[in-house]
Amino acid sequence: MLAPMIPLLAGTRILELSAVVMGPFAGQILADLGAEVIKVEPIEGDVARASQPQADGMGALYVNNNRNKRAIAVDLKSQGGKAIIDKLIQRSDVLLHNMRPDAADRLGLSYDAVAAINPRMIYCSAIGFGQRGRYRGRPAFDDVIQAAAGLAGIAEHNGEDPRFIPTILADKVGALHAVYGILAALVARAHGRQEALRVEVPMFEALTSFVLNEHLAAATFKEDGKVGYSRVLSPDRRPYRTRDGWIAVLPYTAEQWRRFLIEAGRADVLEQPWFHQADSRHAHIDYLYSVIAAVLPQRDSATWLEALSRLDIPCSQVNRLEDLLEDPHLRDVDFFHVGERYPSTIKRMLPQPVVFGGVAPQADIPPPPLGEDTRVVLRECGYSEAEITDLLTRGIARGPAQS
């Protein structure tokens, strides 16, 4: 079984004021690593709670991004709500939010305001566009960032219309950048840094870096250099049709290509003078991929996968989303394991995929209902029972039993 919560960050308190995916996904990873994550939601809750499908009042999108957290609901626009947040800031190591900077400023949650309350705070803002550029302040959702960062337009290199990658990629890439930014800041603090530290994670810049990693290509060396990594952009680099389905095949080294071409009955290609040098073989990559496309329909998928595995050539069947639920390797590692604490309505959960040896895991905590921990957290902040009841009654805070 892939590990549940690993207490490597035990003793670290993270105040998460975020919604939907980017902030919550980052917060969940840190919670999976043992940090105490207090998720602060508006009185009406994170909008992801209402996503479909859902059970027990929680949408699947919320469930898959909010385990191992404590949840409180607070009206941030009220004076009493701001007082609660200020107390939590005083008690926390990290503040993580994915609000637009102007919105954070209006709520009194700018970097300067937070640092004035807690001079050692690590302040992480997961935002759309970097604040030094002209796009700062623009609204940003995943589709917008996929378009802006060149990801949607890659298809045009193959003569196709621009299209979005059908997953919330920009948010999740941004979340991973937020995680390593926060972890680096925590290491700096552990090494003696005393003052507050600001971590800005712009989705646009993060995804642009992600996309251009290989596609910067010749522009790396020349001002007028051509962008685009030709091997990846080849129109014949794609899943290949077999006699009865689709598989992925990627001979990469000269030896892998040699073994594949012999198996495919195309040993004649080995006699070409360009085949034996990496640069000239790269120049003929479209032709080599077209050979794969031409020969794979001659056999069924299972036969090809057996032969390619025997020859140690990278390959895989093309899984549909549904196939992953029954994948034998994922079953071996108990990928979709649901902990004992989870309600019976949750049949599968997605694990923290990084495996740590020598650390005893702890049981996961299910994603919390709205305001589940409000009373307890307020009590820890020094509020009396009468004060807590008053805050709940006036709608400044919300507990789990309230409708």
Side-chain angles (χ1 to χ4, degrees):
M1 180 179 70
L2 291 179
M5 183 168 60
I6 302 295
L8 295 175
L9 297 180
T12 301
R13 180 178 290 124
I14 296 172
L15 186 61
E16 179 200 310
L17 293 92
S18 64
V20 193
V21 173
M22 181 160 63
F25 184 38
Q28 177 172 276
I29 293 171
L30 295 164
D32 286 347
L33 295 176
E36 177 193 353
V37 176
I38 300 175
K39 180 181 177 72
V40 180
E41 299 178 63
I43 296 298
E44 64 275 14
D46 183 338
V47 295
R49 287 185 180 274
S51 64
Q52 298 295 329
Q54 62 174 253
D56 298 330
M58 288 191 286
L61 187 64
Y62 180 87
V63 168
N64 287 316
N65 288 285
N66 288 286
R67 67 166 169 257
N68 290 327
K69 300 178 185 180
R70 306 169 77 191
I72 70 171
V74 175
D75 178 6
L76 295 178
K77 297 179 181 179
S78 69
Q79 184 176 353
K82 181 60 169 60
I84 293 171
I85 298 305
D86 288 352
K87 287 180 181 292
L88 287 169
I89 289 171
Q90 292 171 356
R91 295 164 49 82
S92 299
D93 302 291
V94 179
L95 186 145
L96 165 65
H97 76 78
N98 63 349
M99 295 177 279
R100 280 200 257 176
D102 286 350
D105 290 348
R106 288 194 297 271
L107 294 171
L109 293 171
S110 67
Y111 167 75
D112 289 337
V114 170
I117 297 169
N118 182 345
R120 298 190 69 230
M121 176 65 79
I122 294 167
Y123 181 96
C124 180
S125 54
I127 56 180
F129 301 90
Q131 293 304 286
R132 292 174 298 169
R134 65 188 62 191
Y135 301 159
R136 63 185 180 275
R138 285 186 180 182
F141 289 90
D142 201 88
D143 290 357
V144 172
I145 300 300
Q146 285 199 33
L151 185 60
I154 286 180
E156 291 188 285
H157 284 268
N158 292 336
E160 302 172 11
D161 291 339
R163 62 177 183 269
F164 299 126
I165 305 300
T167 185
I168 306 175
L169 188 68
D171 278 83
K172 290 182 284 189
V173 168
L176 295 175
H177 281 70
V179 169
Y180 83 67
I182 289 170
L183 292 177
L186 286 169
V187 170
R189 208 170 85 164
H191 287 177
R193 182 184 177 92
Q194 295 297 315
E195 62 271 29
L197 201 158
R198 183 173 189 169
V199 180
E200 181 181 287
V201 184
M203 294 169 69
F204 174 50
E205 287 91 322
L207 190 61
T208 297
S209 176
F210 184 88
V211 171
L212 286 181
N213 181 280
E214 75 276 23
H215 287 305
L216 194 58
T220 304
F221 307 111
K222 299 179 180 179
E223 290 291 337
D224 60 349
K226 184 179 180 181
V227 296
Y229 185 35
S230 58
R231 185 185 70 80
V232 174
L233 293 174
S234 171
D236 281 304
R237 178 187 175 268
R238 52 186 171 83
Y240 299 109
R241 185 181 289 279
T242 66
R243 183 179 294 162
D244 62 350
W246 300 85
I247 65 172
V249 185
L250 186 62
Y252 193 78
T253 66
E255 178 59 22
Q256 288 171 348
W257 274 112
R258 187 189 71 81
R259 292 196 294 264
F260 173 79
L261 292 166
I262 292 173
E263 177 69 24
R266 290 299 310 272
D268 60 291
V269 177
L270 302 176
E271 300 172 5
Q272 300 296 321
W274 50 261
F275 178 82
H276 302 284
Q277 297 298 323
D279 56 348
S280 57
R281 193 168 59 251
H282 180 84
H284 290 79
I285 197 66
D286 286 349
Y287 173 75
L288 288 168
Y289 285 156
S290 71
V291 170
I292 298 178
V295 301
L296 258 62
Q298 299 171 10
R299 307 181 195 175
D300 60 37
S301 296
T303 302
W304 272 120
L305 291 171
E306 185 282 325
L308 294 166
S309 297
R310 172 171 42 82
L311 296 171
D312 199 28
I313 295 171
C315 62
S316 175
Q317 68 183 33
V318 175
N319 283 320
R320 302 166 302 163
L321 297 177
E322 295 83 356
D323 295 329
L324 294 174
L325 303 182
E326 303 299 331
D327 183 271
H329 175 88
L330 296 180
R331 189 183 301 119
D332 290 343
V333 300
D334 202 7
F335 187 83
F336 297 106
H337 175 78
V338 176
E340 295 179 358
R341 299 185 184 183
Y342 283 79
S344 60
T345 51
I346 296 179
K347 307 301 181 184
R348 295 179 180 88
M349 282 297 295
L350 301 173
Q352 167 58 250
V354 180
V355 177
F356 296 90
V359 183
Q362 298 177 357
D364 278 335
I365 301 170
L370 179 60
E372 180 180 43
D373 302 292
T374 298
R375 279 190 174 274
V376 174
V377 171
L378 291 179
R379 196 177 298 126
E380 291 171 354
C381 288
Y383 287 91
S384 69
E385 292 301 321
E387 290 171 326
I388 293 171
T389 298
D390 179 62
L391 290 168
L392 296 174
T393 301
R394 290 193 289 143
I396 293 172
R398 177 174 177 169
Q402 294 175 274
S403 59

